[in-house]
Amino acid sequence: MANEQMKSVASLLLVLNFCMYAIVLGIGGWAMNRAIDYGFIIGPDFQLPAHFSPIYFPMGNAATGFFVTFALIAGVVGAASAIAGVNHVRSWTAESLPSAASAATIAWTLTLLAMGFACKEIELEIRNARLRTMEAFLIILSATQLIYIAAIHGASSRRI
């Protein structure tokens, strides 16, 4: 009985996390596209600005480039871990647990890294609404991904 409850909790968290990682990827893709379109144009006749950064974003602050880059990496790995998690929830056996748990743990650690840059970006204060949304999603994802990991491990301790 408790095993089925953990399975439903894990399924709900998988769907929630996948949707949130997809939104992070969408906003991060927008930010990366905008940075490519409106970033520095360097050619043979142009000189680099005094404080040139190869990760320059025309919106946000000094942490935005790192934040968006690591958020995109965390989003891709998080979406992939949700797919591995769906495979585990479908079979719900001890054999499928290690791959789902390791993928979820890697996604969680990358999400924590992106969340750290989000906290730095919040501290520096200059950002737009889309970046604020992505910051909030990553902070929420750092908690829900950890709860998902606990849910699949909690079920395994009760013999899947």
Side-chain angles (χ1 to χ4, degrees):
M1 180 76 162
N3 205 7
E4 287 299 316
Q5 289 174 343
M6 294 305 268
K7 186 176 179 179
S8 64
V9 167
S11 299
L12 176 69
L13 286 170
L14 271 176
V15 171
L16 176 69
N17 287 352
F18 183 78
C19 291
M20 290 180 73
Y21 277 123
I23 292 169
V24 165
L25 284 172
I27 297 171
W30 165 82
M32 187 65 72
N33 184 48
R34 187 155 172 90
I36 291 169
D37 288 345
Y38 299 106
F40 290 122
I41 300 171
I42 301 170
D45 296 335
F46 295 106
Q47 290 186 2
L48 290 175
H51 299 287
F52 175 72
S53 171
I55 305 178
Y56 170 75
F57 280 71
M59 78 298 258
N61 52 43
T64 301
F66 297 103
F67 168 61
V68 171
T69 302
F70 284 102
L72 284 170
I73 294 169
V76 169
V77 175
S81 76
I83 293 169
V86 167
N87 184 39
H88 171 61
V89 168
R90 261 189 326 116
S91 61
W92 204 250
T93 62
E95 289 79 26
S96 65
L97 176 65
S99 64
S102 62
T105 303
I106 291 168
W108 178 62
T109 56
L110 288 170
T111 303
L112 286 178
L113 182 60
M115 186 197 74
F117 284 116
C119 291
K120 184 62 178 177
E121 191 175 50
I122 291 168
E123 179 186 328
L124 295 176
E125 294 183 358
I126 303 168
R127 61 208 193 279
N128 64 19
R130 290 181 183 147
L131 293 174
R132 286 186 194 129
T133 303
M134 195 162 64
E135 292 162 2
F137 273 60
L138 282 166
I139 291 168
I140 294 166
L141 274 166
S142 64
T144 58
Q145 188 73 11
L146 180 63
I147 294 168
Y148 165 71
I149 293 168
I152 61 175
H153 276 91
S156 69
S157 67
R158 294 188 182 97
R159 267 182 81 202
I160 291 181

